[in-house]
Amino acid sequence: MGISKDIKYIGVNDHRGELFEGQYVVPNGMAYNSYVILDEKIAVMDTVDINFTEEWLGKLELVLSGKKPDYLIVQHMEPDHSASVAVFMEKYPEAVVVASTKAFAMMKNFFGRDYAERRVVVADGSILSLGKHELTFFTAMMVHWPEVIVTYDTTDKVLFSADAFGKFGALDIEDDWVSEARRYYIGIVGRYGQQVQSLLQKVAGCDIQTICPLHGPVLSENLGYYIGLYQTWAAYEPEKSGVVIAYATIYGNTGKAAKLLAEKLREKGCEVVLHNLACCDMHKAVADAFCYDRLVLASSTYNADVFPFMKTFIQHLTERLFQNRKVGFIENGSWAPLSSRVMRKMLENSKNLTFMDTTVKIFSAIKGENITEIESLAEELMKVE
Ligand code: FEO
């Protein structure tokens, strides 16, 4: 695949069906992208996961057609991109690694060596000329590790964006970019919105016509749309109007209340997304909570706490700095319902959350007064849209 006359794609698709980063389901697989810039000097942009080293080296050889690479540019040291660095450096002993100071420290940790004799250390604004192509590097701290750099090719107006603008899913399966990019962004980079905003500001002056991320497709059209979504996500602003109802239920009674609330809201014309946290993709539920402007948490009380799936869900939210949303609660308990108090406490350090006045308090099963409470909660949620 040619990105431009001189830039070639040599990434791989992973369909092994394993969890990505040990926790994210990837039903459509995963792509580990890598690129080659062919010029007077040849640069390879990042490597791939260790399970695909041979396939990647084969693709590289084809693109090189007998030539040797001069540089290996390591933008990110997470193993999905860096695991093949040591093998590459052994195979091409004349190649030089280009990376940030922090990346070289990580190489020492991962590979036991930091290529002190074969390296170029780059920082914000460093330039590397390949001949016709001039590469400018920008540090992208915490997008999504501290050593990350992104690279702008002034000649072809290409931004190599590292993890930014990536998504779950291999490139040989078509899927919906935004839902898998959102799930990827919120899950993996969500905590670092401020750093993503800094990166977007840094590259705002570049005339970007193509974005080459380390996961997901190369983006070359309608870039304002993708950059706009990143701005929204990085600012923790809701992307859509609607209510996410996330519930954790033991015998189904809390779930019934959650579904009844969904019904009442839908009758009022509200978009509702329901997640049973025990059996849904937890990271899809987390991404939805960040996507919509209102959230309802419904949980049984369990061991004087919340049901474990709800605890995990709220932890995922707070770790990713959940904020700027309106939140309601449904609690259940057969002798001492207190889950709403626990859930509220878990969210006490989250910024700019507005809690609904109505809390639905169920003793074991829904009764007449609960239906009234659910109707009031639905009314309130509609008022704060
Ligand atoms: Fe795709 Fe942060 O590694």
Side-chain angles (χ1 to χ4, degrees), residues 247-290:
Y247 66 94
T249 189
I250 306 173
Y251 289 105
N253 290 300
T254 309
K256 263 188 204 159
K259 286 172 197 164
L260 184 59
L261 176 65
E263 201 181 301
K264 300 280 176 203
L265 287 164
R266 285 181 183 136
E267 280 169 10
K268 294 173 194 302
C270 182
E271 185 175 345
V272 180
V273 180
L274 260 177
H275 285 291
N276 178 349
L277 297 175
C279 55
C280 70
D281 168 9
M282 180 73 79
H283 295 289
K284 171 76 170 71
V286 171
D288 281 340
F290 279 85

Side-chain angles (χ1 to χ4, degrees), residues 43 86 137 153 205 215 218 288 319 383:
F137 301 99
D153 176 350
H215 303 288
V218 170
D288 281 340
E319 280 168 11
K383 275 194 206 132

Side-chain angles (χ1 to χ4, degrees), residues 113-144:
R113 56 183 299 189
D114 59 5
Y115 303 101
E117 313 302 318
R118 299 170 61 188
R119 72 183 189 190
V120 174
V121 180
V122 292
D124 239 351
S126 298
I127 289 173
L128 178 71
S129 177
L130 302 178
K132 195 165 63 132
H133 291 258
E134 189 177 274
L135 305 180
T136 305
F137 301 99
F138 298 96
T139 55
M141 191 156 156
M142 302 320 294
V143 188
H144 114 256

Side-chain angles (χ1 to χ4, degrees), residues 21 76 78 80-81 144 163 184 215:
E21 290 190 3
H76 185 12
E78 196 164 11
D80 50 334
H81 311 295
H144 114 256
D163 272 346
Y184 171 90
H215 303 288

